[in-house]
Amino acid sequence: MPRSRYRFGDEHAPHFITNTVVAWLPIFSYPELANIVFDSWRFLQRERQIKILGFVVMENHIHW
């Protein structure tokens, strides 16, 4: 039986995702580390057709 708690209800509706850093370290204050996230997002948009409608990058977490 699959785990239903990890599934979204409507795959066509937008979702809000927050990613945090372990121990809330301010790693995104370094542009080269934030660029790793941006490169990953570009890959998802290009290869997986993910649509990113908006995002906010803070020092220690990301909302998208």
Side-chain angles (χ1 to χ4, degrees), residues 19-38 57-62:
N19 302 101
T20 58
V21 178
V22 174
W24 292 85
L25 298 173
I27 66 168
F28 296 122
S29 40
Y30 300 102
E32 58 272 7
L33 297 178
N35 282 332
I36 293 171
V37 173
F38 297 145
V57 179
M58 311 291 241
E59 288 183 341
N60 53 15
H61 66 285
I62 298 172

Side-chain angles (χ1 to χ4, degrees), residues 6-63:
Y6 295 116
R7 294 185 185 200
F8 293 105
D10 184 3
E11 62 184 62
H12 298 292
H15 302 292
F16 181 81
I17 300 173
T18 298
N19 302 101
T20 58
V21 178
V22 174
W24 292 85
L25 298 173
I27 66 168
F28 296 122
S29 40
Y30 300 102
E32 58 272 7
L33 297 178
N35 282 332
I36 293 171
V37 173
F38 297 145
D39 290 339
S40 298
W41 286 349
R42 282 189 278 274
F43 171 82
L44 289 173
Q45 289 174 320
R46 185 179 60 248
E47 300 295 326
R48 303 288 190 248
Q49 289 75 43
I50 298 293
K51 295 179 185 175
I52 298 175
L53 303 176
F55 62 90
V56 176
V57 179
M58 311 291 241
E59 288 183 341
N60 53 15
H61 66 285
I62 298 172
H63 302 287

Side-chain angles (χ1 to χ4, degrees), residues 1-7:
M1 182 170 150
R3 296 182 186 185
S4 61
R5 64 182 175 177
Y6 295 116
R7 294 185 185 200

